[in-house]
Structure formats: structure tokens, C-alpha cells
Amino acid sequence: MSVTHQQVMEPIVCGHPAAARLLPSFDVARLLEDLDRLDDHQWALQQTFTSAGLAERAPYDWRALPLRSPTGRPERTDPGGAGLDEFADTPWLAQAPYFAEILASIPAPLRCVRLLALGPGAVGEVHFDTKVGFPWGNLRLHVPITTNPGAALIIEGVEHRWQPGTFWFGDFGRWHQVLNTGQDKRIHMIVDTLITPETLSLFPPDFLDTLSADEVLYARPAVPLEDPERYHCAFEIPASFADWEEAEGQFLLPQPKLAATIESDADGNRLVLTLDGEPTFGLVHVGEGEFRFTGWTEERTLQVVPGGAAPAVVLRTRRGTAERRLEIPATRRIPSAA
């Protein structure tokens, strides 16, 4: 279903700085109190999540305790992505009132939240995170809790040593690396969010002066569906559209197709996109018959256009305000609201 890693997009560097200290700061003593409540629990190696699902665990001492995860499962140490599962609080968050207070103060819809501990001697590989940043509607924010002089984050060759109690944005869609040459763990709370206009209130004015409005993809709130059956349909979809890591515009190129249907789930509570007979993505309605994938942003959406005798599905991908689209005929009539 997914394209190979070699076909995945290269980093796209925007005009804004690679990092910015955000305006709030936090009480270090209270951060450490919450950490003490959780630190005795079993932290597992961080796991990656790709368009093919859960993948490898970190090959070095890079451990996670999730505060929010897909379905709220406490064993999920990955950041999640497009799929069937919504994000929810894990049981660990209920034991950390100050962490919960910080998260509630962030003016953005939250996705994954994890405590990540980089062990002494750990050196990560140089990499970039696929489609993380303003253009794809997905920010990754850091609250440092513990550190030491040997712990560093390197973004595009520049070393950053963020101190406990501060709050940071990093553009992790650029080449970066983590390392810890010190004797103690470095622990950050890492918060993945969608973006709303209110989210920008976290950023200092000098950063916002460098941020082009065309670079930002805002999230629309979910809109209830009055008649889900109206959007039931069947069609063929380019295989790469199911891969949220695909290279920009790849779904427009000639390629194999997948048999797709949009139907209500077994409980009738939501719509699900099924590909080659397998339920693959939950669909979140953002208005006018347009849906984003559950667990993902509006970087890619599909819109059902009932159209009487000629129903259609419109596929869209976005990077900031730029949009690519492909209209596909549906292969059966969508039931009318009547």
C-alpha cells in the first residue's frame, strides 16, 4: 500500500528560524514533582510510526512514557499518525496534575504527548520527521524537565541546549539529531499539536515576523454529520494517497489503484475509509462533505460530492495554503438524504 522510503519527500525548509523559545515558562519544581510520580514506571524504547504502521524501536537509550497516545493506550510510545485511532489521555496523565495543567493551557488541539528520556551516552541518527511543521498543520513542542551540559539537540548543525522550565518550538522537519554525552538522563515533555490561529499566540513577535501566512495549515474543527449514509460510496483511489508520507503530489502520478469504499463503522458512529477490503482510516468531517484522516491533519483530505447521477470524490493534499486536487468518479450512486 505504501511507497518506499526512498520515495518519501525531502526536507522542505521554510523561511522562519529552526527553533523559537515560546512565551510561557513553567515551574521547574512542579515539573520535577510530576516526573517523580511517574519515573518509577516502566519506560519503553520509543517506537516509530510510518504509513505502514508501527515500525522499529530506537536502537539506543531513547525511552518514552506516553501521556496522550492513540486510543490512550499506555504502551504506545510512538507519535501516531493517520489511521483508525483517535488520540486520548493515558492513565499516566491523571497522575501528573501539573503536566495536565500545562497541556490544558496550550491553545491548540493536542495529538500525541510523551515524556522522552535520552539516556547517558545515547546518540541518535541524523534524520528529519516527515511532514511535521507549519506547512502540514502539525507542530512539535518541547518542555524540558531535566538536562545536563552534555545533552544537546542539533538542528541543521546548530546545537541547542534547552533548559528546564522553558517552552520551545523546533522545526523537526529539518535535519536534526539528539545526543547525550553527560552522566544523567535528559527528559523532555514533547507535545504534538494541530494549529489554530490561537496557537500563534505562543510565539514571540520576532518569530511571527518571519512566518509567511502561506506556510501555515490551520485545523478546522470537526463538524457533526447529520446523514452519514449520504456519503457512502465506492471508488478507486491512487495507492500512494493512502501513504501520508508520500512525496508531494505523488498521488497525481500514474500508479496502481486501490478499491475504496466509505461506509459507516459497525456501531454507526463514524465513517471509515476501507481500502482493498480493509478498514484503514477513520474519517473526521471538517465541513461540506470533506474529511481528514483520523489521527492526522488536513495535509490530506477527501471530499464526497453526492452529485445526483454523477457522484464524485475529490482528493486533496495541502502544504500551507497551496493545494493539489484530483477528482475521481464514484462507482455507485450515493444514497440520497431522503
Side-chain angles (χ1 to χ4, degrees), residues 109-132:
L110 301 181
R111 300 179 66 245
C112 176
V113 181
R114 296 170 293 165
L115 300 179
L116 288 182
L118 187 67
V123 178
E125 63 181 8
V126 179
H127 68 287
F128 68 93
D129 299 337
T130 306
K131 296 182 181 175
V132 172

Side-chain angles (χ1 to χ4, degrees), residues 294-311:
T294 296
W296 196 232
T297 75
E298 291 179 50
E299 179 272 335
R300 64 192 51 226
T301 64
L302 52 83
Q303 183 177 20
V304 179
V305 183

Side-chain angles (χ1 to χ4, degrees), residues 51-171:
S51 54
L54 289 169
E56 71 276 1
R57 293 189 181 273
Y60 51 95
D61 192 0
W62 188 217
R63 296 181 182 274
L65 192 77
L67 303 180
R68 282 180 61 84
S69 71
T71 73
R73 289 164 55 189
E75 70 274 14
R76 289 286 296 266
T77 63
D78 62 282
L84 292 168
D85 300 327
E86 285 285 8
F87 293 96
D89 296 346
T90 72
W92 307 132
L93 185 58
Q95 300 180 31
Y98 190 50
F99 293 161
E101 180 181 320
I102 291 171
L103 296 177
S105 73
I106 297 173
L110 301 181
R111 300 179 66 245
C112 176
V113 181
R114 296 170 293 165
L115 300 179
L116 288 182
L118 187 67
V123 178
E125 63 181 8
V126 179
H127 68 287
F128 68 93
D129 299 337
T130 306
K131 296 182 181 175
V132 172
F134 283 99
W136 302 282
N138 180 13
L139 297 187
R140 185 156 286 161
L141 311 178
H142 280 230
V143 179
I145 303 172
T146 69
T147 192
N148 68 76
L153 164 67
I154 303 170
I155 307 177
E156 294 187 322
V158 177
E159 290 190 359
H160 299 264
R161 288 179 168 81
W162 299 339
Q163 296 304 302
T166 57
F167 193 19
W168 289 87
F169 158 77
D171 187 350

Side-chain angles (χ1 to χ4, degrees), residues 116-282:
L116 288 182
L118 187 67
V123 178
E125 63 181 8
V126 179
H127 68 287
F128 68 93
D129 299 337
T130 306
K131 296 182 181 175
V132 172
F134 283 99
W136 302 282
N138 180 13
L139 297 187
R140 185 156 286 161
L141 311 178
H142 280 230
V143 179
I145 303 172
T146 69
T147 192
N148 68 76
L153 164 67
I154 303 170
I155 307 177
E156 294 187 322
V158 177
E159 290 190 359
H160 299 264
R161 288 179 168 81
W162 299 339
Q163 296 304 302
T166 57
F167 193 19
W168 289 87
F169 158 77
D171 187 350
F172 297 101
R174 308 187 194 200
W175 292 107
H176 64 278
Q177 179 185 28
V178 292
L179 57 87
N180 184 3
T181 61
Q183 301 300 310
D184 302 306
K185 291 184 293 187
R186 188 214 77 172
I187 300 176
H188 286 194
M189 179 166 65
I190 298 178
V191 184
D192 289 356
T193 78
L194 302 180
I195 306 174
T196 65
E198 293 76 18
T199 309
L200 300 187
S201 67
L202 298 172
F203 288 80
D206 59 347
F207 180 90
L208 295 177
D209 288 343
T210 69
L211 183 65
S212 167
D214 291 337
E215 292 180 353
V216 184
L217 177 60
Y218 291 110
R220 287 175 282 177
V223 177
L225 279 176
E226 295 182 358
D227 182 14
E229 287 190 359
R230 185 167 184 259
Y231 302 97
H232 289 191
C233 60
F235 52 98
E236 290 189 330
I237 192 172
S240 73
F241 194 78
D243 186 343
W244 43 272
E245 296 184 292
E246 69 167 347
E248 299 283 349
Q250 184 171 349
F251 76 104
L252 298 175
L253 301 177
Q255 61 186 274
K257 302 294 194 298
L258 302 174
T261 63
I262 296 175
E263 298 174 317
S264 298
D265 66 8
D267 297 326
N269 294 326
R270 64 170 180 171
L271 293 178
V272 171
L273 177 65
T274 296
L275 300 176
D276 282 351
E278 293 293 328
T280 306
F281 300 108

